[in-house]
Amino acid sequence: MDVIVDGAAANASADAADVMSVLADISESLHKQGRAILSVSADGQSLAPAQTAEILSGKPLDAVRRLEIVSEQTSKLVADSLAELEAVIPDLATACHELAAVFHGTQPRTGYDPFHQLANIWSHVKERQELIAHTLGVALDSLTLDGKTVGAWHTELNGFLAEAAAAIESGDTILLGDLLEYEFAPRAETEVRITGVLREKAGG
């Protein structure tokens, strides 16, 4: 397996049991340099932070031809990710209310494409939150908001996204509008507070 870190060839540990072990060793080495992993791809497939361990754990070294890792200074990675979230999240609640009005209006089907875009943006928000938490060395389940962990907030959101997907499948635009108005919009406000918690962990 060829291992590439920031464009340069790197050596995999001879003791590595699987591809995830190689990644863990590199992550530890980068951490000592004040750097953190920004992205990982295996044979050209980009891996989201949440799925990296699931995909690479137990995978034999010869099952991946090329493992590419891009890193960034930890402080810059966190600062950039927080700034990105703070630029996007405040608009989520407004988008939910506006889209709810579309689904409750006379041409509800025009809201399908915007809803998919909104869901993709929200997925990106969650990935960024996970990346920030991982970079800071904290687990989302260790951070609480209103008596619930951030991980629990994410799980709850996933449930409503699944319900929305089922509503799209059945053409129930009234339910979609209600979900946007009464479930997604309030959670968009919660995302602002979650990002605030992460900023506090990052030192303000």
Side-chain angles (χ1 to χ4, degrees), residues 93-199:
T94 300
C96 288
H97 288 304
E98 291 176 349
L99 199 49
V102 172
F103 283 120
H104 285 152
T106 57
Q107 294 181 303
R109 292 187 176 278
T110 62
Y112 285 157
D113 285 344
F115 178 82
H116 286 303
Q117 293 170 10
L118 177 67
N120 287 337
I121 291 171
W122 218 314
S123 177
H124 181 71
V125 165
K126 290 195 298 177
E127 286 181 4
R128 279 298 175 192
Q129 289 172 344
E130 289 163 357
L131 176 62
I132 292 168
H134 178 75
T135 302
L136 294 174
V138 299
L140 289 178
D141 281 338
S142 72
L143 306 177
T144 59
L145 199 65
D146 297 340
K148 285 193 292 191
T149 67
V150 173
W153 280 107
H154 282 183
T155 298
E156 193 173 75
L157 174 64
N158 288 339
F160 286 114
L161 285 169
E163 192 173 346
I168 290 174
E169 184 71 22
S170 65
D172 191 343
T173 56
I174 297 298
L175 176 57
L176 272 172
D178 287 348
L179 286 170
L180 283 159
E181 186 70 27
Y182 303 114
E183 302 297 347
F184 289 113
R187 277 160 181 75
E189 300 290 351
T190 301
E191 297 292 1
V192 175
R193 298 168 60 205
I194 290 173
T195 301
V197 170
L198 289 171
R199 181 167 282 287

Side-chain angles (χ1 to χ4, degrees), residues 15 49 175 201:
D15 300 327
L175 176 57
K201 285 292 182 181

Side-chain angles (χ1 to χ4, degrees), residues 64-84:
V64 174
R65 295 187 303 277
R66 184 181 178 91
L67 182 69
E68 295 180 78
I69 298 158
V70 176
S71 72
E72 178 61 272
Q73 286 289 337
T74 301
S75 57
K76 185 177 187 303
L77 176 59
V78 171
D80 288 350
S81 295
L82 282 169
E84 181 182 354

